[in-house]
Amino acid sequence: MFRNRKPLPLVSMVLSALYFIYVISLGSSTMIGDEVGGDPGGMVFPLFLAIFMFLVSAALFATDRKDPSSSQGGMTSSQKRLFALTAVVSLLYVVLARPLGYILTTLWLLYILTFYYIQGDVVLKDLKVSLIGFVSSTVVMLALYSIGRKITRSLLLAARKGSIPSLLGSPSAVAGITLVVVTALFVALLFLSRKLLAKWGKSGSVHSAHISALVAIATTEFIYLIFRQLFLVELVRGIITW
Protein backbone atom coordinates (compact mmCIF):
# COMPACT_ATOMS: atom_id res chain seq x y z
CA MET A 1 0.00 0.00 0.00
CA PHE A 2 2.77 2.46 0.91
CA ARG A 3 5.06 1.66 -2.01
CA ASN A 4 2.96 3.48 -4.62
CA ARG A 5 2.07 6.44 -2.37
CA LYS A 6 4.00 9.70 -2.14
CA PRO A 7 5.69 10.25 1.25
CA LEU A 8 4.97 13.98 1.71
CA PRO A 9 1.23 13.58 2.46
CA LEU A 10 2.03 10.90 5.05
CA VAL A 11 4.58 13.17 6.72
CA SER A 12 2.02 15.98 6.70
CA MET A 13 -0.54 13.69 8.34
CA VAL A 14 1.89 12.86 11.14
CA LEU A 15 2.79 16.52 11.67
CA SER A 16 -0.90 17.48 11.73
CA ALA A 17 -1.63 14.82 14.34
CA LEU A 18 1.30 15.99 16.47
CA TYR A 19 0.13 19.59 16.14
CA PHE A 20 -3.37 18.52 17.22
CA ILE A 21 -1.95 16.86 20.34
CA TYR A 22 0.19 19.94 21.02
CA VAL A 23 -2.82 22.27 20.82
CA ILE A 24 -4.84 20.03 23.15
CA SER A 25 -1.99 20.04 25.67
CA LEU A 26 -1.97 23.85 25.79
CA GLY A 27 -5.57 24.06 26.95
CA SER A 28 -8.08 26.73 25.99
CA SER A 29 -8.75 30.31 27.03
CA THR A 30 -11.50 32.89 26.57
CA MET A 31 -11.44 36.66 26.31
CA ILE A 32 -11.54 38.61 29.56
CA GLY A 33 -14.88 40.31 29.96
CA ASP A 34 -16.80 37.90 27.73
CA GLU A 35 -20.18 38.48 29.32
CA VAL A 36 -22.32 36.90 26.60
CA GLY A 37 -20.34 33.70 26.31
CA GLY A 38 -19.63 34.26 22.64
CA ASP A 39 -15.95 33.38 22.73
CA PRO A 40 -15.57 29.62 22.10
CA GLY A 41 -11.95 29.71 23.27
CA GLY A 42 -8.59 30.28 21.69
CA MET A 43 -8.16 26.57 20.96
CA VAL A 44 -10.92 26.44 18.32
CA PHE A 45 -8.99 27.85 15.37
CA PRO A 46 -5.76 25.83 15.89
CA LEU A 47 -7.83 22.65 16.25
CA PHE A 48 -9.77 23.47 13.09
CA LEU A 49 -6.50 24.08 11.25
CA ALA A 50 -4.97 20.83 12.50
CA ILE A 51 -8.03 18.77 11.53
CA PHE A 52 -8.24 20.45 8.12
CA MET A 53 -4.55 19.81 7.41
CA PHE A 54 -4.92 16.17 8.47
CA LEU A 55 -7.98 15.57 6.26
CA VAL A 56 -6.38 17.20 3.22
CA SER A 57 -3.17 15.24 3.75
CA ALA A 58 -5.12 12.01 4.13
CA ALA A 59 -7.02 12.70 0.91
CA LEU A 60 -3.77 13.38 -0.94
CA PHE A 61 -2.19 10.26 0.52
CA ALA A 62 -5.11 8.14 -0.67
CA THR A 63 -5.41 9.62 -4.17
CA ASP A 64 -2.00 10.99 -5.21
CA ARG A 65 0.15 8.07 -6.31
CA LYS A 66 3.71 7.89 -7.53
CA ASP A 67 4.43 7.96 -11.24
CA PRO A 68 5.27 4.35 -12.21
CA SER A 69 8.00 5.65 -14.53
CA SER A 70 9.77 7.51 -11.71
CA SER A 71 12.67 6.05 -9.75
CA GLN A 72 11.87 3.75 -6.88
CA GLY A 73 14.51 5.01 -4.47
CA GLY A 74 12.38 7.10 -2.12
CA MET A 75 11.80 10.82 -2.50
CA THR A 76 13.02 12.57 -5.62
CA SER A 77 15.17 15.71 -5.45
CA SER A 78 12.16 17.95 -6.09
CA GLN A 79 10.17 16.22 -3.34
CA LYS A 80 13.05 16.66 -0.92
CA ARG A 81 13.22 20.37 -1.70
CA LEU A 82 9.46 20.73 -1.26
CA PHE A 83 9.64 18.86 2.03
CA ALA A 84 12.47 21.11 3.25
CA LEU A 85 10.51 24.20 2.20
CA THR A 86 7.41 22.96 4.01
CA ALA A 87 9.37 22.29 7.19
CA VAL A 88 11.14 25.68 7.15
CA VAL A 89 8.02 27.71 6.30
CA SER A 90 5.91 25.86 8.90
CA LEU A 91 8.55 26.49 11.56
CA LEU A 92 8.70 30.18 10.65
CA TYR A 93 4.91 30.32 10.81
CA VAL A 94 4.93 29.04 14.40
CA VAL A 95 7.78 31.37 15.43
CA LEU A 96 6.47 34.52 13.71
CA ALA A 97 2.71 34.05 14.26
CA ARG A 98 2.69 35.98 17.53
CA PRO A 99 4.99 38.92 16.68
CA LEU A 100 3.66 39.44 13.13
CA GLY A 101 0.07 38.29 13.62
CA TYR A 102 -2.39 35.89 12.01
CA ILE A 103 -3.09 37.85 8.82
CA LEU A 104 0.46 38.17 7.50
CA THR A 105 1.87 34.82 8.60
CA THR A 106 -1.12 32.82 7.35
CA LEU A 107 -1.14 34.65 4.01
CA TRP A 108 2.59 34.09 3.48
CA LEU A 109 2.43 30.43 4.52
CA LEU A 110 -0.42 29.66 2.12
CA TYR A 111 1.06 31.65 -0.75
CA ILE A 112 4.55 30.16 -0.56
CA LEU A 113 3.43 26.55 -0.20
CA THR A 114 0.69 26.83 -2.85
CA PHE A 115 3.04 28.45 -5.37
CA TYR A 116 5.86 25.95 -5.08
CA TYR A 117 3.61 22.91 -4.86
CA ILE A 118 1.86 24.02 -8.06
CA GLN A 119 5.27 24.43 -9.67
CA GLY A 120 6.27 21.03 -8.36
CA ASP A 121 9.77 22.06 -7.32
CA VAL A 122 11.79 24.79 -5.58
CA VAL A 123 14.08 26.33 -8.18
CA LEU A 124 15.89 29.66 -8.40
CA LYS A 125 14.33 30.71 -11.73
CA ASP A 126 10.90 31.00 -10.08
CA LEU A 127 12.14 33.31 -7.31
CA LYS A 128 11.49 36.62 -9.10
CA VAL A 129 7.90 35.78 -10.04
CA SER A 130 7.20 34.32 -6.61
CA LEU A 131 8.47 37.49 -4.91
CA ILE A 132 6.29 39.71 -7.13
CA GLY A 133 3.27 37.59 -6.26
CA PHE A 134 4.30 37.59 -2.61
CA VAL A 135 4.39 41.39 -2.42
CA SER A 136 1.24 41.82 -4.54
CA SER A 137 -0.78 39.39 -2.44
CA THR A 138 0.36 41.15 0.74
CA VAL A 139 -0.76 44.56 -0.57
CA VAL A 140 -4.16 43.24 -1.72
CA MET A 141 -4.64 41.33 1.53
CA LEU A 142 -4.00 44.42 3.64
CA ALA A 143 -6.39 46.43 1.45
CA LEU A 144 -9.21 43.88 1.79
CA TYR A 145 -8.60 43.51 5.50
CA SER A 146 -8.61 47.29 6.00
CA ILE A 147 -11.86 47.68 4.05
CA GLY A 148 -13.45 44.93 6.10
CA ARG A 149 -12.33 46.52 9.37
CA LYS A 150 -13.65 49.92 8.23
CA ILE A 151 -17.06 48.43 7.44
CA THR A 152 -17.15 46.58 10.75
CA ARG A 153 -16.29 49.62 12.84
CA SER A 154 -18.67 51.88 10.91
CA LEU A 155 -21.60 49.50 11.44
CA LEU A 156 -20.86 49.01 15.14
CA LEU A 157 -20.50 52.76 15.70
CA ALA A 158 -23.67 53.56 13.76
CA ALA A 159 -25.63 50.97 15.76
CA ARG A 160 -24.39 52.43 19.06
CA LYS A 161 -25.41 55.93 17.98
CA GLY A 162 -28.80 54.69 16.83
CA SER A 163 -28.18 55.71 13.20
CA ILE A 164 -29.07 52.18 12.05
CA PRO A 165 -31.25 49.47 13.65
CA SER A 166 -29.47 47.66 16.48
CA LEU A 167 -30.04 44.38 14.64
CA LEU A 168 -27.58 45.49 11.95
CA GLY A 169 -25.01 46.13 14.67
CA SER A 170 -25.07 42.59 16.04
CA PRO A 171 -21.89 40.50 15.56
CA SER A 172 -23.56 38.09 13.13
CA ALA A 173 -25.10 40.86 11.01
CA VAL A 174 -21.86 42.85 10.91
CA ALA A 175 -19.88 39.75 9.95
CA GLY A 176 -22.42 38.86 7.28
CA ILE A 177 -22.45 42.33 5.71
CA THR A 178 -18.67 42.53 5.78
CA LEU A 179 -18.43 39.07 4.23
CA VAL A 180 -20.77 40.05 1.37
CA VAL A 181 -18.84 43.24 0.60
CA VAL A 182 -15.44 41.57 0.79
CA THR A 183 -16.67 38.69 -1.41
CA ALA A 184 -17.92 41.17 -4.02
CA LEU A 185 -14.55 42.94 -3.99
CA PHE A 186 -12.72 39.63 -4.28
CA VAL A 187 -14.83 38.58 -7.27
CA ALA A 188 -14.10 41.93 -8.93
CA LEU A 189 -10.41 41.39 -8.21
CA LEU A 190 -10.62 37.92 -9.73
CA PHE A 191 -12.01 39.19 -13.05
CA LEU A 192 -9.63 42.17 -13.16
CA SER A 193 -6.59 40.01 -12.46
CA ARG A 194 -7.62 37.58 -15.20
CA LYS A 195 -7.80 40.40 -17.74
CA LEU A 196 -4.40 41.72 -16.71
CA LEU A 197 -2.97 38.23 -16.83
CA ALA A 198 -4.31 37.74 -20.36
CA LYS A 199 -2.43 40.86 -21.51
CA TRP A 200 0.85 39.88 -19.84
CA GLY A 201 0.74 36.29 -21.00
CA LYS A 202 0.31 33.09 -19.01
CA SER A 203 3.68 31.57 -18.34
CA GLY A 204 3.72 28.67 -15.91
CA SER A 205 5.19 30.56 -12.97
CA VAL A 206 3.00 33.65 -13.53
CA HIS A 207 -0.10 31.47 -13.58
CA SER A 208 1.04 29.71 -10.40
CA ALA A 209 1.65 33.04 -8.67
CA HIS A 210 -1.80 34.28 -9.71
CA ILE A 211 -3.58 31.18 -8.42
CA SER A 212 -1.50 31.09 -5.23
CA ALA A 213 -2.22 34.74 -4.43
CA LEU A 214 -5.97 34.30 -4.91
CA VAL A 215 -6.06 31.14 -2.79
CA ALA A 216 -3.97 32.69 0.00
CA ILE A 217 -5.95 35.95 0.09
CA ALA A 218 -9.38 34.31 0.00
CA THR A 219 -8.53 31.66 2.60
CA THR A 220 -6.88 34.09 5.02
CA GLU A 221 -9.60 36.75 4.82
CA PHE A 222 -12.60 34.42 4.98
CA ILE A 223 -11.18 32.42 7.88
CA TYR A 224 -10.60 35.71 9.68
CA LEU A 225 -14.16 36.90 9.07
CA ILE A 226 -15.73 33.61 10.12
CA PHE A 227 -13.64 32.88 13.20
CA ARG A 228 -12.82 36.38 14.45
CA GLN A 229 -15.99 38.31 13.68
CA LEU A 230 -18.65 35.62 13.66
CA PHE A 231 -17.40 33.19 16.32
CA LEU A 232 -15.38 35.85 18.22
CA VAL A 233 -12.22 33.75 18.32
CA GLU A 234 -9.30 35.91 19.44
CA LEU A 235 -6.70 35.83 16.65
CA VAL A 236 -3.26 37.37 17.14
CA ARG A 237 -3.04 40.85 15.59
CA GLY A 238 0.71 41.26 15.69
CA ILE A 239 1.89 44.37 13.86
CA ILE A 240 -1.52 44.96 12.27
CA THR A 241 -3.16 47.02 14.98
CA TRP A 242 -6.00 48.65 13.05
Side-chain angles (χ1 to χ4, degrees), residues 1 21 26 30 78 97 100 128-129 202 223:
M1 175 181 177
I21 297 173
L26 292 178
T30 57
S78 60
L100 295 184
K128 181 179 178 180
V129 174
K202 283 191 175 183
I223 287 178

PDB file of all heavy atoms in Angstrom, residues 1 21 26 30 78 97 100 128-129 202 223:
ATOM      1  N   MET A   1       0.820  -1.211   0.000  1.00  0.00           N
ATOM      2  CA  MET A   1       0.000   0.000   0.000  1.00  0.00           C
ATOM      3  C   MET A   1       0.856   1.264   0.000  1.00  0.00           C
ATOM      4  O   MET A   1       0.552   2.244  -0.660  1.00  0.00           O
ATOM      5  CB  MET A   1      -0.917   0.002   1.229  1.00  0.00           C
ATOM      6  CG  MET A   1      -1.735   1.271   1.391  1.00  0.00           C
ATOM      7  SD  MET A   1      -2.759   1.212   2.868  1.00  0.00           S
ATOM      8  CE  MET A   1      -3.501   2.853   2.807  1.00  0.00           C
ATOM      9  N   ILE A  21      -2.254  17.239  18.952  1.00  0.00           N
ATOM     10  CA  ILE A  21      -1.949  16.864  20.342  1.00  0.00           C
ATOM     11  C   ILE A  21      -1.325  18.036  21.091  1.00  0.00           C
ATOM     12  O   ILE A  21      -1.634  18.289  22.261  1.00  0.00           O
ATOM     13  CB  ILE A  21      -1.003  15.641  20.359  1.00  0.00           C
ATOM     14  CG1 ILE A  21      -1.705  14.433  19.723  1.00  0.00           C
ATOM     15  CG2 ILE A  21      -0.568  15.315  21.782  1.00  0.00           C
ATOM     16  CD1 ILE A  21      -0.798  13.231  19.534  1.00  0.00           C
ATOM     17  N   LEU A  26      -2.051  22.461  25.343  1.00  0.00           N
ATOM     18  CA  LEU A  26      -1.968  23.848  25.791  1.00  0.00           C
ATOM     19  C   LEU A  26      -3.209  24.299  26.544  1.00  0.00           C
ATOM     20  O   LEU A  26      -3.155  25.262  27.316  1.00  0.00           O
ATOM     21  CB  LEU A  26      -1.742  24.778  24.583  1.00  0.00           C
ATOM     22  CG  LEU A  26      -0.396  24.669  23.870  1.00  0.00           C
ATOM     23  CD1 LEU A  26      -0.357  25.621  22.685  1.00  0.00           C
ATOM     24  CD2 LEU A  26       0.751  24.973  24.829  1.00  0.00           C
ATOM     25  N   THR A  30     -10.472  31.999  27.113  1.00  0.00           N
ATOM     26  CA  THR A  30     -11.495  32.893  26.572  1.00  0.00           C
ATOM     27  C   THR A  30     -11.124  34.339  26.870  1.00  0.00           C
ATOM     28  O   THR A  30     -10.297  34.616  27.730  1.00  0.00           O
ATOM     29  CB  THR A  30     -12.881  32.592  27.180  1.00  0.00           C
ATOM     30  OG1 THR A  30     -12.784  32.702  28.611  1.00  0.00           O
ATOM     31  CG2 THR A  30     -13.343  31.191  26.809  1.00  0.00           C
ATOM     32  N   SER A  78      13.182  16.909  -6.191  1.00  0.00           N
ATOM     33  CA  SER A  78      12.157  17.951  -6.089  1.00  0.00           C
ATOM     34  C   SER A  78      11.287  17.747  -4.854  1.00  0.00           C
ATOM     35  O   SER A  78      10.920  18.709  -4.174  1.00  0.00           O
ATOM     36  CB  SER A  78      11.286  17.970  -7.348  1.00  0.00           C
ATOM     37  OG  SER A  78      10.621  16.729  -7.533  1.00  0.00           O
ATOM     38  N   ALA A  97       4.160  33.821  14.170  1.00  0.00           N
ATOM     39  CA  ALA A  97       2.710  34.048  14.261  1.00  0.00           C
ATOM     40  C   ALA A  97       2.364  35.083  15.322  1.00  0.00           C
ATOM     41  O   ALA A  97       1.502  35.951  15.098  1.00  0.00           O
ATOM     42  CB  ALA A  97       1.997  32.729  14.545  1.00  0.00           C
ATOM     43  N   LEU A 100       4.159  38.839  14.364  1.00  0.00           N
ATOM     44  CA  LEU A 100       3.656  39.441  13.129  1.00  0.00           C
ATOM     45  C   LEU A 100       2.138  39.381  13.017  1.00  0.00           C
ATOM     46  O   LEU A 100       1.533  40.217  12.341  1.00  0.00           O
ATOM     47  CB  LEU A 100       4.287  38.751  11.910  1.00  0.00           C
ATOM     48  CG  LEU A 100       5.798  38.920  11.743  1.00  0.00           C
ATOM     49  CD1 LEU A 100       6.267  38.265  10.453  1.00  0.00           C
ATOM     50  CD2 LEU A 100       6.183  40.387  11.760  1.00  0.00           C
ATOM     51  N   LYS A 128      11.932  35.269  -8.771  1.00  0.00           N
ATOM     52  CA  LYS A 128      11.492  36.621  -9.103  1.00  0.00           C
ATOM     53  C   LYS A 128       9.974  36.705  -9.183  1.00  0.00           C
ATOM     54  O   LYS A 128       9.352  37.605  -8.593  1.00  0.00           O
ATOM     55  CB  LYS A 128      12.106  37.062 -10.430  1.00  0.00           C
ATOM     56  CG  LYS A 128      11.706  38.473 -10.842  1.00  0.00           C
ATOM     57  CD  LYS A 128      12.358  38.864 -12.161  1.00  0.00           C
ATOM     58  CE  LYS A 128      11.910  40.267 -12.588  1.00  0.00           C
ATOM     59  NZ  LYS A 128      12.547  40.659 -13.879  1.00  0.00           N
ATOM     60  N   VAL A 129       9.364  35.778  -9.901  1.00  0.00           N
ATOM     61  CA  VAL A 129       7.897  35.779 -10.041  1.00  0.00           C
ATOM     62  C   VAL A 129       7.232  35.530  -8.700  1.00  0.00           C
ATOM     63  O   VAL A 129       6.222  36.170  -8.367  1.00  0.00           O
ATOM     64  CB  VAL A 129       7.455  34.717 -11.073  1.00  0.00           C
ATOM     65  CG1 VAL A 129       5.930  34.614 -11.118  1.00  0.00           C
ATOM     66  CG2 VAL A 129       7.997  35.067 -12.448  1.00  0.00           C
ATOM     67  N   LYS A 202       0.452  34.082 -20.081  1.00  0.00           N
ATOM     68  CA  LYS A 202       0.305  33.090 -19.012  1.00  0.00           C
ATOM     69  C   LYS A 202       1.474  32.104 -19.019  1.00  0.00           C
ATOM     70  O   LYS A 202       1.343  30.977 -19.470  1.00  0.00           O
ATOM     71  CB  LYS A 202      -1.016  32.338 -19.165  1.00  0.00           C
ATOM     72  CG  LYS A 202      -2.230  33.117 -18.714  1.00  0.00           C
ATOM     73  CD  LYS A 202      -3.451  32.211 -18.659  1.00  0.00           C
ATOM     74  CE  LYS A 202      -4.664  32.939 -18.102  1.00  0.00           C
ATOM     75  NZ  LYS A 202      -5.832  32.066 -17.968  1.00  0.00           N
ATOM     76  N   ILE A 223     -11.369  33.047   6.574  1.00  0.00           N
ATOM     77  CA  ILE A 223     -11.182  32.415   7.884  1.00  0.00           C
ATOM     78  C   ILE A 223     -11.216  33.473   8.980  1.00  0.00           C
ATOM     79  O   ILE A 223     -11.805  33.274  10.048  1.00  0.00           O
ATOM     80  CB  ILE A 223      -9.861  31.620   7.928  1.00  0.00           C
ATOM     81  CG1 ILE A 223      -9.987  30.340   7.106  1.00  0.00           C
ATOM     82  CG2 ILE A 223      -9.485  31.267   9.366  1.00  0.00           C
ATOM     83  CD1 ILE A 223      -8.722  29.509   7.061  1.00  0.00           C
TER      84      ILE A 223
END
